[in-house]
Amino acid sequence: MKAFDFVAARDARHAVALLAERTPTAKVKVLAGGTDLLADLKFASTAHAPDVVIDISRATELKHISMTDEGLRIGALVTHTEIMTSPIIRELFPALVDAAHTIGAVQTRNLGTLGGNLVTAVPSVDSGPTLVALDARVTLLGSGGQRQMLPAEFFVGPRKTALKADELLTEILIPKECVGKPTHFLKFGLRKGQALALVNVAASTWVDWDKQTFVAPRVALGAVAPKVIHATSAETFLEGRAITPDAMVEAGRLAVGDAKPISDFRASADYRRDLIAVLTRRALEAAFELARRRKS
């Protein structure tokens, strides 16, 4: 492992200042929980190893879970275990709990952070689809100020994000119009635990109970394209449509067309297409069932 400078930031703004100072002349990595970064450091070639590591774990202002007038705010340093045990998230966003539970082993969940999971930006990121399906926003803080964007815009490609060199992901906001929206997350891997997703899917929808139709349906897919994506064809088809088993099956078929799966050593593209169709249907069924339970 190549030697590097280690700097501990006092808070988020100090981290941004350090990024602005160091990135023009050095390769810089940010350390949060470290579950991804330490593996990268161990196996990185000299050419790709960082010159500086900035530790942001002391930025306590990034460790909150709070309900506000704007919606649910989750700090970037909140761990997956904290998501799983949060009473607010367990009640209103069980899909986030389900997604967090699929990430690594218990040691990984205890250390790994939501922000770190998103910034790593692997196509199979488990926290991404649910946030995309809930129309979440990510907040980025840089030397030029603060900006927000959708996760689908934040993810640019495999291990690539829209973060500028001097920016830090500080917060995830689930807007108030999506608070309590029935959502379900499903992941399919080659084993039950500590597996990368072959396909992961999140689906959310409100229901017009008078008409028995889908309202604001969302279908998000992971591990089937260079980044997490909306299944826009499926969403458009479902909007305002009567909620029936056939409609959910057709949405699954359309979601396949929105994806760009590849063949690799873990699965073929055709197998992934079959998974997309099945998991999309099942996620929609489960989201609707959650809506029914909450109504009753």
Side-chain angles (χ1 to χ4, degrees), residues 261-273:
I262 62 170
S263 295
D264 59 21
F265 69 95
R266 292 186 296 128
S268 68
D270 285 342
Y271 186 53
R272 285 187 166 96
R273 291 187 186 97

Side-chain angles (χ1 to χ4, degrees), residues 7 18 26 34 64 78 80 85 98 101 106 108 123 135-136 139 147 155 169 196 245 252 267 275 288:
V7 186
L18 290 169
H64 61 276
V78 169
H80 307 300
T85 56
D98 293 339
H101 192 268
V106 62
T108 301
D135 294 331
T139 301
R147 61 188 179 124
F155 298 125
L169 173 63
L196 293 176
L275 286 173
F288 177 57

Side-chain angles (χ1 to χ4, degrees), residues 35 84 113 118 121 126 134 152 181-182 190 199 204 219 221 235 280:
T35 56
M84 292 168 59
T113 63
L118 296 176
D126 291 317
L134 286 167
K181 186 178 184 182
L190 294 179
V199 174
S204 70
V219 177
L221 308 173
E235 293 172 352
T280 297

Side-chain angles (χ1 to χ4, degrees), residues 11 27 38 81 104 111 124 135 140 145 189 191 222 225 229 233 237 287:
D11 52 33
K27 295 173 185 171
L38 291 180
T81 295
L111 285 173
S124 58
D135 294 331
L140 312 181
R191 55 180 184 263
I229 61 171
S233 298
F237 169 78

